Amino acid sequence: MKFVAITSCPTGIAHTYMAAEALEQAARAAGHEMHVETQGAAGSTPLEPDVIAAADAVVYAADLEVRGRERFAGKPFVDVGVKAPINDAAAVLAAAEEAARDAAEGAPVAGGEPDGGATAAAADGPPAPATKVTARGGAGTRVRQWLMTGVSYMIPFVAAGGILIALGFMVGGYQINEAQPDDIVSGFNAASAHDWGALLFLTGSAVFAFLVPVLAGFIAFAIADRPGLVPGFLGGAVSVTVGAGFLGGLVAGFLAGFLALGLTRLPVPAAVRGVMPVVVTPLVASFGTGLAMFVVLGRPLAALMDGLNGWLGSLSGGSLVLLGTLIGLMMAVDMGGPVNKVAYTFATAGLAAAGASANPDAVEFTVMAAAMAAGMTPPLGLALATLLRARLFTPGEIQNGKAAWLLGASFITEGAIPFAAADPLRVIPALMVGSGVTGGLVAVFGATLRAPHGGIWVTPLIGHPLLFLLALLAGTAVTALGVCLLKSLGRRSTAADARSDATTPAGV
Amino acid sequence: MSESTPRLITADLVLPGLAAADREDATRQLAALLHKAGRVTDLDGFLADVRARESQMPTGLPGRVGLPHARSAHVTVPSLAVGRCPAGVDFQGPDGTATLVFLIAAPTGGDADHMRILAALARRLVHAEFRSALLDARDAAEIADTVTREVVVS
């Protein structure tokens, strides 16, 4: 087989090259072809595009952010860190082989970027939409990847619809949700704020109508590839019809995906095989999903959804503050990892459920505001900390600190990762405390947000914006002080440093 | 290696019979050689940089190798100091204490030529025969010669 690899390490003078050498040796020994791009201090020569095109799989043995990751969009990959090939390059190669084989077998696959790059992958890769499914991982990992594929395709709908609706309320007042399409179809008055508001609101509502179908459709797509799309979208639409909403969409997505996957794996006569993916599989899987959602699952799921909404609605005062704090802690603990995504998905799910609600103070909007604020403080707090106590940080971190201002302000929690990766035991607790404080304060203040993303740039859409910013500032300050405190405690003496190192095997 | 670049290692940068209490001590002894040779200007400053790197992730490697290293403003030329430590020093490597310790010193402003020689060195370290040649060498001079002969920029 043919492989390409990227190696990198913090200093860029040793592990980068040892990993490259180990991979090349192991590949030679196993009769594979291996090309390594060493992103180290000696400068890196980019892999030739045709070498990348010919590769069966990509090995990321990188402890730093891979430069130019989009070049490998759509390729199966393994992501192992720089030490793995140095310790056991043969095992890394075996994993890469497996990834390549899984992909070749047409498993529901072809991991694009592991995170956040679905659009880039779709633009540069083959014309099929990308999924977040990598060719390895246990059952739990897979379920999460299927789910996140659905969520990642839904987010732009939540964003566009949510912001349009919020603008509609701003322009047309809080009765705008009673506007009927006919108000603007039969005669649009360009001088009327009400008509503009109605236009924004109705457009946003139309976008929102796709949320649950898109979620279910792309969960099914992640599981079963293209044959999953029709039953998935249908399942989501039925879920809306029977009032099972978001939860119904999740269930329908998985149901439709597995039905379609099962059908595509049936042994069928060669004569029928050609029409399976375009006719038979979507048809049969759709009927099955429809039957299940209308007749069997619809009512219990609708009841469950009502229960969840009732519970959220009943939250107030102390319990809402607790929820805000918890969301905050979860947003910070892994900065864009699975726990963060669970909290964020919960918040956006609430947004989708509350939808076009006229009640500007709906609890769901507060949860969203808490999640966003808590996701902004980790990079912001670290940026502030690099200003307050530059001597606690490496020159590289101080540079990162400058970028972290912008990342934090834009609600890109991942901006905190370089700091946390270098010193997790001191940095992460401080981030969690700061984010917890922010989440709790947002709930105390009752600030609200109708958009799922945007950072300070969507401040005009925030309810109680000044209090929201106050909560944000408080969390940023707490984070910065916490980081400075923990970092200076840990550095008081080199002996203490050595001890703490000894008790934390491999701080990675 | 070109004429203008000093050799990566010379015999006076080798401790064939290194005895050290811990990795900190081993690193300090080797760094002192670099300092004496004028390759490191500020011993304590350089050691702090090495420690910062080591605290990110211990540098023990398979093959019982310890690889403390840093890019530091206190380094004048890319340099390698080697210690052979029969009793072993703990670098938290995967297969026991390190019997070979390589201290790599890289200047922060090093140009690509400087860095390429260090990259070549790192690549050699992965090879078991390179390590055993160093373990079997008779004395400091032979260790230095082996490194100079084996580490070539390709």
Side-chain angles (χ1 to χ4, degrees), chain A residues 225-249:
Chain A
D225 216 344
R226 234 167 290 187
L229 276 175
V230 177
F233 269 86
L234 164 104
V238 176
S239 173
V240 174
T241 307
V242 301
F246 208 86
L247 285 177

Side-chain angles (χ1 to χ4, degrees), chain A residues 155-479:
Chain A
I155 293 292
F157 286 80
V158 181
I163 292 171
L164 283 168
I165 289 172
L167 290 173
F169 279 117
M170 279 170 64
V171 173
Y174 272 104
Q175 261 93 53
I176 203 70
N177 61 326
E178 288 163 17
Q180 296 300 316
D182 202 42
D183 296 358
I184 51 172
V185 175
S186 55
F188 183 78
N189 180 1
S192 155
H194 173 272
D195 280 15
W196 280 109
L199 175 63
L200 289 164
F201 176 83
L202 291 168
T203 309
S205 302
V207 175
F208 259 32
F210 286 99
L211 292 187
V212 177
V214 165
L215 173 73
F218 280 98
I219 289 174
F221 169 78
I223 297 171
D225 216 344
R226 234 167 290 187
L229 276 175
V230 177
F233 269 86
L234 164 104
V238 176
S239 173
V240 174
T241 307
V242 301
F246 208 86
L247 285 177
L250 292 180
V251 174
F254 280 97
L255 184 73
F258 284 116
L259 269 177
L261 184 64
L263 287 167
T264 53
R265 293 205 171 156
L266 280 184
V268 290
V272 192
R273 205 171 294 149
V275 294
M276 279 298 285
V278 278
V279 181
V280 181
T281 304
L283 177 74
V284 178
S286 295
F287 179 73
T289 307
L291 181 80
M293 290 304 295
F294 272 118
V295 180
V296 187
L297 296 170
R299 272 219 282 179
L301 283 172
L304 204 60
M305 194 69 193
D306 284 346
L308 182 68
N309 284 338
W311 174 72
L312 266 180
S314 72
L315 282 180
S316 59
S319 48
L320 182 57
V321 172
L322 204 64
L323 180 65
T325 309
L326 179 69
I327 294 262
L329 293 174
M330 290 173 74
M331 290 300 291
V333 68
D334 56 356
M335 297 148 290
V339 179
N340 165 294
K341 291 285 190 272
V342 166
Y344 182 63
T345 305
F346 176 75
T348 51
L351 215 54
S357 162
N359 175 9
D361 294 324
V363 172
E364 287 85 348
F365 298 142
T366 296
V367 170
M368 188 66 240
M372 185 165 91
M376 293 167 70
T377 55
L380 288 176
L382 285 162
L384 182 60
T386 60
L387 280 191
L388 291 178
R389 286 276 183 279
R391 62 178 183 81
L392 294 173
F393 297 90
T394 67
E397 285 179 327
I398 291 167
Q399 282 304 317
N400 277 337
K402 291 174 189 155
W405 285 114
L406 188 63
L407 293 173
S410 309
F411 181 33
I412 297 172
T413 318
E414 284 85 343
I417 289 179
F419 297 89
D423 194 4
L425 295 179
R426 298 196 188 98
V427 171
I428 292 177
L431 301 185
M432 289 178 65
V433 172
S435 291
V437 167
T438 304
L441 281 178
V442 167
V444 170
F445 296 152
T448 57
L449 175 62
R450 283 177 178 273
H453 213 291
I456 57 165
W457 318 114
V458 292
T459 310
L461 307 180
I462 291 171
H464 304 303
L466 292 179
L467 290 172
F468 177 89
L469 290 178
L470 181 62
L472 193 64
L473 290 178
T476 301
V478 169
T479 305

